[in-house]
Amino acid sequence: MGLIILGAVGFAAALLWWGVAANVPARLWEPVQLSIAGVWSVFYDANLPDLRVLAIAGALALFLGAGIALVERRVATLYRRSPPHLVSRPLAPRVIMNATRGVFAGPVTITVLIPAHNEQVTLPGTLASLREQDRRPDRIVVVADNCTDRTAELARAGGAEVYETVGNTEKKGGALNQVLRTLLPDHRDNDVVMVMDADTTLDDGFLAAAEKAFEGDRALMAVGGLFYGEEGHGLIGQFQRNEYVRYSREIARRRGRVFVLTGTASIFRPVALRTIAALRGTQIPGRPGDVYDTAALTEDNELTLALKSLGGLMISPPGCTVVTELMPTWHTLWAQRLRWERGALENLGAYGVTPQTFRYWAQQLGIGYSVIGLSTYLLLIAVMLASMDTWIWFPFWLGVGVLFAIERVVTAWKGGWRARLLALTIFPELFFDLFLDVVFVKGILDITRGRRATWSHLTRTETPAPAARP
């Protein structure tokens, strides 16, 4: 990370020097001024942007990016909890293939674990989606964690087993650790374990697609779901649905290679979970014997990093799609995303900068730069609108804007006409992105100031909206 920062600053300094020293390029042709309907005066400038301006802007951007990298380096220092180097990668495909060559572990069976804290409203729909699967699960266990409502009663009525936690104070991760300690010792390699949220509904072919993936590759350690948002919640709901559609499209373009094994619904081989539990506290962060690191705010993201660090292969097949809940208000969305952003940073800090985490650090660096780039862009647009009597058109930037609008519409296309219309307007989604950038900044400030993180839970008081199928 230090070398990256040093290189960025050096390159920025060279750009800055060149930008100041460069000559002004010749104009392509003279600008044109005209009037539209005698009301709006338009100044049409066909010249390319000044190279000096571009160079200076690029240099300043790199300097600011280096500053972001320094902040994230501090995060890595504060939260580092893993050894400097991994001793081995016991879940790497080559290791698993050698260990299982010529061994038949039996047919694939699927045990579904549903951690639930006061989920009486959403749980029946979740259980119904499991019963409607083309390939039904072999076993369903609802992990009732400190429930004070009818969650356990409705789970039994829906045909599921109920495991009630005892003395758990460590939220979802602690509840899952308790039940996994009793389940994993008896599971063979093909007795896969699925963890899904109680507010999630699976598309009909999810389990069949996952079973096919595990049968076709014995080195595969985990299968994650591609998630889409439920219907409803007005404009804020559409923002989230567009975001999820774009994420699923990106995973499809990566041929299923996942960034995060989503907590909404993911399936694991027992050997992967047992290996993680055995290596906690030595090769990877966490308490020895725990599958889930209870110190992590985002347990699904941390489990992904653990699997990647140990060499595990994981994918999200196209048929494994789920519909998950959306945050209905800006307040609940703020709480959710603050936990996600801070949790991701803390998890990366716990693992440090390694070949397996380098891409994630680069993504965080990109988010940090987007805070500067997007906020500056919107501010300059506002200043220009307030200060100029004449609108100046630059064909170069108009072309960039058109390409950007096309990209936004194409990437949200599968979300339907509402998604396309919202994407076409551009600026509402830019302001939503700015909201997410502010959340990111708040997470950084909380970390650097040493503020204690909190875990929020959305409690439903009414039946959720119908699912939005892709």
Side-chain angles (χ1 to χ4, degrees):
M1 184 64 73
L3 290 175
I4 292 172
I5 294 169
L6 183 62
V9 171
F11 184 62
L15 266 182
L16 193 60
W17 175 84
W18 179 81
V20 173
N23 293 323
V24 179
R27 291 179 175 271
L28 295 179
W29 58 78
E30 292 300 317
V32 176
Q33 188 167 0
L34 51 90
S35 176
I36 298 179
V39 177
W40 194 16
S41 179
V42 176
F43 186 83
Y44 182 87
D45 192 342
N47 293 287
L48 295 175
D50 192 315
L51 292 179
R52 288 190 305 172
V53 173
L54 290 177
I56 293 171
L60 291 175
L62 285 172
F63 277 124
L64 293 171
I68 296 166
L70 285 170
V71 173
E72 295 189 350
R73 184 172 181 269
R74 173 171 170 77
V75 173
T77 303
L78 285 174
Y79 288 92
R80 185 64 184 265
R81 292 190 290 127
S82 64
H85 301 286
L86 287 171
V87 177
S88 63
R89 302 183 69 201
L91 297 179
R94 180 178 296 180
V95 175
I96 296 297
M97 295 293 280
N98 288 336
T100 58
R101 183 172 288 112
V103 177
F104 178 61
V108 172
T109 68
I110 302 175
T111 297
V112 179
L113 302 182
I114 307 175
H117 172 69
N118 292 343
E119 299 285 0
Q120 65 178 13
V121 174
T122 58
L123 183 61
T126 301
L127 295 175
S129 76
L130 289 170
R131 291 193 299 268
E132 294 168 1
Q133 286 292 297
D134 297 336
R135 193 274 191 219
R136 290 194 176 189
D138 299 277
R139 187 180 180 187
I140 303 173
V141 180
V142 173
V143 186
D145 181 39
N146 299 318
C147 294
T148 57
D149 64 356
R150 301 176 58 224
T151 294
E153 175 188 343
L154 292 175
R156 293 188 180 96
E161 304 173 37
V162 175
Y163 178 95
E164 299 192 51
T165 60
V166 178
N168 177 45
T169 59
E170 296 174 322
K171 304 297 181 181
K172 176 181 176 180
L176 288 169
N177 283 336
Q178 283 192 18
V179 69
L180 286 171
R181 288 192 191 100
T182 65
L183 289 179
L184 288 179
D186 298 328
H187 276 222
R188 299 170 299 177
D189 286 348
N190 278 348
D191 297 329
V192 299
V193 177
M194 177 175 179
V195 178
M196 68 178 295
D197 288 341
D199 52 29
T200 295
T201 56
L202 305 182
D203 284 344
D204 297 344
F206 187 106
L207 293 183
E211 180 182 49
K212 182 179 179 180
F214 280 114
E215 289 177 341
D217 189 350
R218 67 178 189 273
L220 183 62
M221 291 293 103
V223 167
L226 297 171
F227 49 91
Y228 296 85
E230 65 187 3
E231 287 288 359
H233 309 306
L235 182 61
I236 189 174
Q238 193 61 57
F239 281 136
Q240 296 171 78
R241 282 190 291 274
N242 280 19
E243 184 184 18
Y244 293 168
V245 165
R246 290 190 176 101
Y247 175 80
S248 296
R249 184 178 185 274
E250 176 66 17
I251 297 302
R253 291 177 68 244
R254 287 168 50 84
R255 297 183 180 180
R257 297 192 302 275
V258 296
F259 292 118
V260 177
L261 289 168
T262 171
T264 54
S266 292
I267 308 181
F268 308 90
R269 283 198 193 274
V271 63
L273 300 181
R274 284 194 290 260
T275 302
I276 289 172
L279 296 180
R280 291 277 187 203
T282 54
Q283 292 199 49
I284 54 177
R287 189 170 53 202
D290 284 353
V291 172
Y292 285 89
D293 182 10
T294 55
L297 275 175
T298 48
E299 68 288 327
D300 49 352
N301 180 73
E302 195 283 332
L303 195 63
T304 304
L305 292 178
L307 279 170
K308 281 186 176 290
S309 297
L310 298 176
L313 175 65
M314 59 195 80
I315 63 170
S316 286
C320 292
T321 55
V322 305
V323 178
T324 188
E325 71 171 352
L326 301 178
M327 295 299 103
T329 66
W330 290 104
H331 175 74
T332 54
L333 182 63
W334 172 276
Q336 180 199 58
R337 297 310 173 89
L338 183 59
R339 182 172 70 88
W340 286 6
E341 292 290 356
R342 178 162 180 175
L345 286 167
E346 291 182 5
N347 292 340
L348 286 174
Y351 281 81
V353 181
T354 67
Q356 292 75 36
T357 63
F358 183 81
R359 183 186 184 95
Y360 295 91
W361 280 111
Q363 288 175 334
Q364 292 299 320
L365 188 63
I367 294 172
Y369 177 71
S370 76
V371 173
I372 298 169
L374 180 57
S375 59
T376 303
Y377 169 74
L378 293 175
L379 177 62
L380 289 177
I381 288 289
V383 170
M384 183 183 68
L385 290 174
S387 60
M388 294 182 63
D389 295 327
T390 301
W391 188 274
I392 302 178
W393 295 85
F394 290 92
F396 176 84
W397 294 116
L398 284 174
V400 172
V402 169
L403 289 176
F404 180 75
I406 292 173
E407 185 273 340
R408 301 298 287 179
V409 173
V410 169
T411 53
W413 193 264
K414 284 190 175 181
W417 69 267
R418 290 186 182 89
R420 300 164 201 165
L421 181 61
L422 181 60
L424 186 62
T425 56
I426 298 179
F427 278 94
E429 285 198 314
L430 287 182
F431 284 109
F432 178 70
D433 291 339
L434 185 62
F435 169 83
L436 299 180
D437 286 345
V438 173
V439 174
F440 175 83
V441 172
K442 179 63 164 59
I444 289 284
L445 291 176
D446 286 351
I447 287 174
T448 54
R449 293 163 58 191
R451 294 192 61 178
R452 185 175 181 181
T454 57
W455 206 101
S456 59
H457 175 74
L458 176 64
T459 301
R460 293 275 193 176
T461 57
E462 57 183 15
T463 304
R469 301 289 175 176

